């Protein structure tokens, strides 16, 4: 082997070792921006109302509640990171329809009208509407609300129930941006009743006994089921459905439910709705 050939050989050897070292650094590094243990999980933008205690509400500058714990558990099971943003009730639907958010978890009842515009996950919560009235009210059922002023969350199933009782576009149906405002209207004397999900009505009366309100049940009010809301045609829905069923089956859902409601959930009824 000649002198030039030896030099060429040495240069090639150095170059090969350099490239191998670079490749090793790249393979051991984190090109996705996370830690060295693996790729960073994809973040999902999840929107919620944040004024619906005990489901989703603000406490100490942080959004908490059953729905929030549920969302975090499901998203983690699916292998994602949650970025939960409180944006209010009406904007939820605009953001999901416009595909500026990945999903919404905000006690949203699954119904046929909404299915025309959005996709829903499998059901994750059983609910029904109840009537919130002062303790001295003579209201014993929905029929007793005829001729009275009813405060509701705008665009909610509570509004739909009120419209079945009083008629659509009735001026005695007072629509608000969130349930807290509807309840404040009742307390101020501007409404005779509030119609809202049973969990919200029961929680409010329990947490505010000094306000002397009571919950009235009407057995004619239909059962409802909450679902995660997605943009129409979302590729994320099958993954989240699978994750929901996993947390329903492995006991995580029951753990979260027990934490917030002090009882065990009817998982069989939820799964029967699938």
């Amino acid at each position: 082997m000649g002198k030039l050939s030896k030099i060429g050989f040495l240069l090639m050897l150095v170059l090969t070792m350099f490239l191998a070292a670079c490749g090793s650094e790249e393979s051991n590094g984190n090109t996705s921006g996370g830690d060295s243990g693996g790729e960073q999980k994809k973040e999902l933008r999840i929107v919620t109302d944040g004024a619906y205690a005990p489901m989703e509400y603000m406490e100490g500058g942080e959004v908490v509640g059953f729905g929030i714990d549920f969302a975090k558990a499901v998203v983690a099971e699916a292998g994602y990171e949650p970025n939960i943003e409180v944006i209010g009730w009406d904007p939820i639907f605009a953001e999901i329809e416009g595909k500026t958010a990945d999903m919404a978890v905000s006690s949203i009842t699954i119904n046929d009208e909404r299915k025309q515009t959005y996709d829903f996950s499998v059901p994750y919560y059983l609910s029904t509407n109840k009537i919130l009235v002062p303790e001295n009210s003579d209201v014993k059922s929905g029929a007793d609300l005829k001729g009275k002023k009813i405060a509701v969350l705008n665009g909610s199933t509570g509004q739909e129930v009120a419209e079945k009782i009083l008629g659509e576009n009735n001026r005695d149906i007072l629509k608000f941006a969130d349930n807290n405002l509807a309840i404040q209207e009742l307390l101020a004397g501007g409404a005779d009743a509030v119609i809202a999900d049973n969990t919200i009505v029961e929680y409010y009366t329990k947490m505010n006994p000094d306000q002397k309100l009571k919950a009235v049940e009407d057995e004619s009010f239909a059962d409802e089921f909450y679902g995660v809301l997605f943009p129409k045609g979302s590729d994320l829905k099958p993954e989240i459905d699978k994750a929901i069923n996993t947390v329903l089956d492995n006991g995580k859902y029951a753990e979260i439910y027990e934490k917030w409601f002090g009882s065990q959930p009817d998982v069989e009824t939820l799964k029967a709705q699938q």
Side-chain angles (χ1 to χ4, degrees):
M1 187 177 293
K3 184 177 181 181
L4 290 177
S5 297
K6 289 180 180 179
I7 293 173
F9 172 79
L10 289 172
L11 289 173
M12 289 180 61
L13 181 61
V14 171
L15 181 60
T16 301
M17 292 175 66
F18 176 78
L19 292 174
C22 290
S24 177
E25 288 178 3
E26 288 179 359
S27 64
N28 291 329
N30 185 5
T31 57
S32 62
D35 58 34
S36 60
E39 291 188 0
Q40 184 181 25
K41 293 180 180 179
K42 179 183 176 183
E43 188 177 82
L44 296 182
R45 183 166 183 260
I46 305 168
V47 291
T48 191
D49 176 17
Y52 217 62
M55 303 302 286
E56 305 92 15
Y57 66 103
M58 298 302 296
E59 184 176 84
E62 180 184 3
V63 62
V64 297
F66 169 81
I68 302 303
D69 284 354
F70 165 79
K72 289 178 178 178
V74 167
V75 168
E77 179 62 37
Y80 295 96
E81 289 286 349
N83 174 18
I84 302 175
E85 296 184 28
V86 175
I87 63 171
W89 177 253
D90 288 332
I92 284 172
F93 298 92
E95 294 237 13
I96 294 297
E97 187 174 0
K99 300 183 178 181
T100 53
D102 296 298
M103 53 191 261
V105 178
S106 197
S107 305
I108 304 169
T109 299
I110 302 168
N111 61 32
D112 290 338
E113 181 180 356
R114 288 171 178 163
K115 283 181 178 179
Q116 295 177 19
T117 308
Y118 314 96
D119 281 344
F120 279 97
S121 70
V122 294
Y124 72 84
Y125 188 83
L126 170 62
S127 176
T128 188
N129 279 288
K130 279 192 174 182
I131 305 165
L132 183 66
V133 291
E135 283 183 346
N136 61 359
S137 172
D138 59 359
V139 171
K140 297 180 180 179
S141 70
D144 294 332
L145 293 173
K146 291 180 180 178
K148 298 184 183 297
K149 294 183 182 295
I150 307 172
V152 298
L153 170 64
N154 185 46
S156 67
T157 55
Q159 179 183 329
E160 293 176 9
V161 171
E163 288 173 346
K164 288 178 181 177
I165 297 169
L166 301 185
E168 291 187 25
N169 302 316
N170 191 302
R171 64 183 182 181
D172 285 337
I173 300 175
L174 312 178
K175 304 169 189 176
F176 294 89
D178 64 58
N179 272 305
N180 292 334
L181 294 175
I183 293 172
Q184 290 305 311
E185 186 72 9
L186 171 65
L187 294 172
D192 300 296
V194 172
I195 298 180
D197 291 353
N198 64 307
T199 305
I200 279 67
V201 170
E202 292 164 2
Y203 183 80
Y204 193 87
T205 55
K206 177 182 177 181
M207 299 301 293
N208 300 278
D210 58 312
Q211 293 179 356
K212 300 187 182 305
L213 300 175
K214 65 180 179 181
V216 175
E217 183 176 3
D218 187 320
E219 293 184 357
S220 70
F221 292 176
D223 286 342
E224 301 173 0
F225 294 89
Y226 296 165
V228 177
L229 193 73
F230 300 100
K232 200 70 175 174
S234 172
D235 293 335
L236 191 59
K237 172 180 158 53
E239 295 181 63
I240 298 300
D241 281 346
K242 181 179 178 181
I244 290 174
N245 277 314
T246 298
V247 300
L248 286 174
D249 292 336
N250 67 12
K252 185 63 179 178
Y253 179 87
E255 177 186 322
I256 297 169
Y257 196 98
E258 173 74 27
K259 170 187 172 181
W260 287 99
F261 307 120
S263 59
Q264 288 295 302
D266 186 351
V267 173
E268 290 186 6
T269 296
L270 289 175
K271 298 202 75 171
Q273 293 297 313
Q274 298 184 22

